Amino acid sequence: MTWQNWAGTATADPAQRYWPRSTEEIADAIKDAAAAGLTVRALGSGHSFTPTAATSGAALDLSGWAGVISADANSGLVTVRSGTTIRRLNAALDVLGLAMPNLGDIDAQTIAGAISTGTHGTGARLGGIATAVAALELILADGSVVSCSPQQRPDLFAAAQVGLGALGVISTVTLKCVPAFDLSADERPMPLGEVLERFGEFAASNDHFEFYWFPYGKNALVKRNNRGTELPRMPAWRHFFEYEVMENAAFGALCRTGRAVPALIKPLNKFAAGTLSKRAYSAPSHQVFVTPRRVRFVESEYAVPRESLLDVLGELRAAVPRLADPVMFPVEVRVAAADDIWLSTAYGRGSAYVAIHQYAGLPYQEYFRALESIAAAVGGRPHWGKMHTRDAAQLGELYPRFADFLRVRDEVDPDRRFANSYLEQVLGP
């Protein structure tokens, strides 16, 4: 059975597939694959645009290994099985009166896949999802089950928080959650020039700040989310209209039209920028963080030093009009606090994230190369789960603890049981 990721950018034909439903079954699958001389990769929900999970060896489908194992409302510590999707996690936490401190805008990923690739949300004082990890349980290449945390095997923990699946198969994740909270969301169009001029102010004065810029329009959609319930709930009909009708059905129709008639892409993109609406409401945090994404696309994203963002965007704005193929999708800009996770894109520096997208089926290579070149000039780090061409030699210069990660990998997987072509590219053979 051929495996394919959500965006259709990666496919694989595993020689063997397993559907483990316990830690013991994961370990047995790894040992069985090793006896057959097969490499092993865990399958999440396929939301990485890179071939992170692809393998011609043994594929472990963890969709049946899901759900909450234990929860302590007082400490906020919640242990979940690695195949649990963020959507299912959010629902379970809501019942417990808990929440994740920060999330991205897609909830289809498994928790293990999200942390392993460095998935993040936005907030200048907050880190990516992996910063909420308090402990991990992994099954290593020899089938042994090990636990790690800042106190127990701290080097393995620092490597495995964003580990690309290169160290072992994560079986459980213990998260440090917070009491459930509401967010007041303010989303409105604003001239791009004003957004860039006030970028530092917006990032500093809001719990969560991001904006979307349509490359051929004058306006950006600015999203500012802050803890509290100062605003009323959005009526269900309005939520459906804004997010399902406008952002999915209508925008999807524009994208299909642009793909059929590329000459219309620029005016359609400009039209989409002109239809942005103002929205202000309160809702439980996970309902504000997550937005339905039903229009398929491909994506590249780079984390750059926050102080370099305006220069990066200036060069990107200059590059877009020179592209041979126009761009249908908006550019997304977010921020994150520095952290100490070895392969986190925010390691050691406050970061801004520039994510570029193209509608599925439209040419994207020249556009993605342009961002990569611009970001590389300021030490930009590619998102591990989004499309890029960086290799181990280049990435080793960008991560101060890269050699330490490789050392831990040599210790726990000397025979490269968990290797694949993508890991050979980014970590070396």
Side-chain angles (χ1 to χ4, degrees):
M1 182 191 304
T2 297
W3 170 87
Q4 180 174 282
N5 66 349
W6 179 82
T9 54
T11 59
D13 290 293
Q16 184 64 267
R17 291 183 73 140
Y18 299 86
W19 288 266
R21 300 180 69 88
S22 68
T23 299
E24 293 75 17
E25 289 183 8
I26 296 173
D28 288 344
I30 293 172
K31 289 186 281 190
D32 186 56
L38 299 175
T39 55
V40 178
R41 297 299 290 168
L43 300 180
S45 56
H47 258 270
S48 286
F49 296 86
T50 54
T52 313
T55 182
S56 59
L60 275 58
D61 186 325
L62 299 176
S63 57
W65 177 240
V68 172
I69 296 173
S70 64
D72 185 331
N74 292 323
S75 67
L77 293 176
V78 178
T79 299
V80 300
R81 298 178 181 93
S82 55
T84 308
T85 63
I86 293 175
R87 182 180 300 118
R88 182 168 176 176
L89 172 64
N90 287 337
L93 292 179
D94 200 43
V95 172
L96 295 166
L98 296 170
M100 290 290 288
N102 199 7
L103 288 170
D105 63 358
I106 295 175
D107 62 2
Q109 310 99 317
T110 63
I111 186 62
I115 65 173
S116 294
T117 55
T119 299
H120 62 92
T122 189
R125 295 178 293 276
L126 295 161
I129 294 176
T131 62
V133 176
L136 293 166
E137 182 183 84
L138 294 93
I139 294 90
L140 301 183
D142 60 2
S144 60
V145 180
V146 300
S147 297
C148 59
S149 68
Q151 295 76 37
Q152 184 179 14
R153 300 192 68 165
D155 276 9
L156 178 60
F157 179 71
Q161 277 178 283
V162 179
L164 311 181
L167 309 173
V169 176
I170 296 174
S171 52
T172 69
V173 181
T174 299
L175 299 160
K176 183 68 170 73
C177 299
V178 299
F181 61 96
D182 281 6
L183 285 173
S184 287
D186 184 289
E187 305 175 7
R188 64 182 65 203
M190 191 176 294
L192 178 63
E194 181 181 353
V195 179
L196 298 180
E197 184 178 334
R198 300 177 65 186
F199 175 81
E201 170 198 340
F202 287 152
S205 62
N206 293 281
D207 294 331
H208 310 272
F209 160 66
E210 64 185 307
F211 69 89
Y212 292 82
W213 154 55
F214 283 86
Y216 307 107
K218 296 180 180 179
N219 285 338
L221 178 64
V222 176
K223 294 188 174 186
R224 291 173 286 181
N225 300 329
N226 291 286
R227 282 157 172 72
T229 55
E230 291 82 7
L231 299 171
R233 297 297 203 230
M234 181 184 288
W237 69 265
R238 174 80 187 277
H239 190 277
F240 179 81
F241 176 77
E242 294 285 356
Y243 294 103
E244 292 292 351
V245 176
M246 295 302 293
E247 291 197 2
N248 282 290
F251 183 60
L254 293 182
C255 289
R256 290 190 296 274
T257 302
R259 185 171 61 188
V261 188
L264 294 177
I265 290 178
K266 290 182 181 180
L268 288 173
N269 184 279
K270 188 175 182 179
F271 173 76
T275 62
L276 299 172
S277 62
K278 178 181 176 181
R279 303 180 288 236
Y281 64 97
S282 291
S285 59
H286 62 92
Q287 294 180 16
V288 176
F289 285 135
V290 175
T291 304
R293 296 284 181 230
R294 313 200 196 286
V295 183
R296 303 231 171 186
F297 55 87
V298 293
E299 181 176 0
S300 180
E301 181 180 64
Y302 271 79
V304 300
R306 202 175 304 165
E307 60 272 17
S308 300
L309 174 69
L310 297 184
D311 290 337
V312 168
L313 288 180
E315 291 193 45
L316 187 63
R317 292 175 70 189
V320 167
R322 299 195 295 265
L323 297 173
D325 299 293
V327 178
M328 190 64 226
F329 257 70
V331 176
E332 181 182 18
V333 178
R334 294 178 285 176
V335 292
D339 63 47
D340 62 356
I341 301 170
W342 290 358
L343 290 191
S344 166
T345 48
Y347 179 89
R349 70 188 190 195
S351 299
Y353 291 88
V354 180
I356 61 174
H357 317 72
Q358 180 64 296
Y359 182 55
L362 287 173
Y364 62 85
Q365 289 86 349
E366 182 190 9
Y367 184 33
F368 286 14
R369 284 196 301 268
L371 174 63
E372 187 163 82
S373 176
I374 293 165
V378 296
R381 298 165 177 163
H383 189 300
W384 297 106
K386 299 178 183 178
M387 300 180 76
H388 68 94
T389 66
R390 302 288 91 179
D391 61 26
Q394 295 160 326
L395 293 165
E397 297 294 321
L398 298 172
Y399 288 92
R401 304 301 296 270
F402 195 80
D404 290 316
F405 183 93
L406 297 183
R407 170 180 55 79
V408 171
R409 187 190 188 201
D410 286 339
E411 292 170 1
V412 298
D413 188 18
D415 297 325
R416 299 297 185 260
R417 181 64 52 206
F418 302 107
N420 69 357
S421 60
Y422 180 65
L423 293 191
E424 289 187 4
Q425 172 193 329
V426 299
L427 298 179

